[in-house]
Amino acid sequence: MVSRSTLTLSILLAFAAAHAQTSNFLDDFPEIDVVVSNDPAPGYIFFALGGGGVTRLTIVDNEGTPVYYEKVGGTVYDFKWQPNGHHTFVVYPVDYRGYDSSFQYVKNYGLTTDSLAIDVHELQCFEDGSYYMIEKRPHVMDLSETVPNGRTNARVIYNYILHAAPNDSVLWLWNSLEHYDITDVDDYISLSNLTIDLTHCNAVEHDFDGNILLSTRNFNEITKIHRETGDIIWRLGGEKNQFTFVNDERRFRRQHDVRRLANGNISIFDNGHYSSPQYSSVVEYEIDTDSMTATLVRRYDHGQDIYTASRGAAQELPNGNWFIDWGESSLPGVTEVKPDDEIALEIDFPNGGHRYKSYKFDWETNYFETDVDTIDFGAIHYGDSAFATVKLFHNRADTVEVNAF
């Protein structure tokens, strides 16, 4: 029974969880522990926590209360809300899915051909429905005369950057192997191996001038690429670094993110892999292409107590906070930090599990999913934001409306 009240989806799901005798829907909901809450930015947190062959797509509010939850078979990467209104995620290795605002399937993204395969790391959609994503390709090369002990049949895996129209037709395709030298790779990648993970590109950012910022992890490099010609404009970090680093002897290694900030600087999630000492951090650089300097403005390292060799990301929120996912770390899992490094929100995932990136969005929805016929909501109380109808989706098809009156 639903009493006269204004309702919030968070309250509805909270009471559904409290009356678990009617449903096993949330019995294995991932454990979430909000350990710091200090005036965080408004919004909802998207994360995908995997384990045991199942990934739990989850959206929670700042209190850790779920507003959406669904179990998906396989390992999921990059679950987020896009500017075109789609919710997207990739099920490893090649299934990049898009859903509408009510979580109904819309389409698959990207190219899957005999020569190109979808990469799990990044999908960036735009309001017009076009998108950027990373593709990859293996290529057999003779490296016997290029590097010591190089194989005659080395299998080199490298990346393409795809810009596609809403109908998935190719607008632009950038081949990394045409612009990078194979010897630009990190010293820790052996070019004498039979299989070589060469570029390992993991983030694409549409820059303010229409060009591209690309994170090439195995080069320890951020590359700026001309969107029309495909030419490299500049290279930051790695073997072919063109900048003088100011106030930063540590630099960055094996990074997993690059974003253009509202103030014109760039941020990078520095995994710190192979750095000494090894810890992960988020760095902000002011880039001056006249003097070719990269000046460290800020490094947030959580007291140098977190290290993740892979995964992780940093997102600038509308109020200027950074929302940081620490990748493999479960304690903490995510941290929202203010411009003065004060922690606004910190969430632990005590039971761990695979998690690639988490995000925070100023997002609204009135939908959730369950597999039971009856939910006892208990006593409903006033909430922060009101709506008048709860829609219960059965198998993503028939809809039952429960009116709040």
Side-chain angles (χ1 to χ4, degrees), residues 167-353:
N167 65 0
D168 303 314
S169 62
V170 176
L171 299 174
W172 187 71
L173 194 62
W174 188 82
N175 180 348
S176 63
L177 206 57
E178 294 179 352
H179 298 274
Y180 291 143
D181 294 330
I182 196 166
T183 53
D184 293 347
V185 74
D186 188 305
D187 290 341
Y188 292 93
I189 300 292
S190 174
L191 294 179
S192 64
N193 289 343
L194 182 59
T195 298
I196 301 167
D197 182 10
L198 185 66
T199 50
H200 203 102
C201 300
N202 54 27
V204 180
E205 175 79 341
H206 186 73
D207 207 356
F208 61 85
D209 58 3
N211 295 310
I212 308 300
L213 296 176
L214 177 65
S215 169
T216 304
R217 179 177 185 258
N218 285 357
F219 287 9
N220 304 311
E221 177 177 320
I222 304 301
T223 312
K224 182 158 183 172
I225 304 163
H226 196 285
R227 168 59 182 77
E228 298 300 327
T229 66
D231 294 337
I232 290 177
I233 298 173
W234 49 251
R235 304 176 72 167
L236 174 68
E239 296 295 321
K240 295 293 180 66
N241 171 58
Q242 296 174 300
F243 289 82
T244 298
F245 283 82
V246 180
N247 302 328
D248 187 27
E249 294 182 1
R250 182 178 175 85
R251 298 176 30 170
F252 56 88
R253 295 188 69 92
R254 295 297 179 95
Q255 75 286 345
H256 259 79
D257 212 9
V258 58
R259 302 298 163 202
R260 179 68 73 173
L261 303 176
N263 64 8
N265 295 341
I266 66 170
S267 67
I268 300 169
F269 184 89
D270 173 25
N271 291 84
H273 195 32
Y274 299 124
S275 295
S276 181
Q278 286 194 141
Y279 61 84
S280 299
S281 59
V282 181
V283 292
E284 176 182 349
Y285 290 110
E286 180 182 355
I287 304 297
D288 187 329
T289 55
D290 292 327
S291 63
M292 295 303 288
T293 55
T295 301
L296 181 66
V297 176
R298 182 183 180 195
R299 182 183 292 272
Y300 180 77
D301 58 22
H302 206 282
Q304 302 183 15
D305 62 354
I306 301 176
Y307 166 64
T308 175
S310 63
R311 309 174 201 150
Q315 174 191 10
E316 184 183 33
L317 301 179
N319 70 346
N321 290 1
W322 278 347
F323 186 78
I324 304 167
D325 189 312
W326 296 106
E328 293 144 303
S329 174
S330 299
L331 304 171
V334 296
T335 302
E336 181 182 330
V337 61
K338 299 178 182 180
D340 62 359
D341 289 354
E342 183 181 17
I343 294 177
L345 182 70
E346 191 151 271
I347 296 177
D348 293 351
F349 301 99
N351 293 333

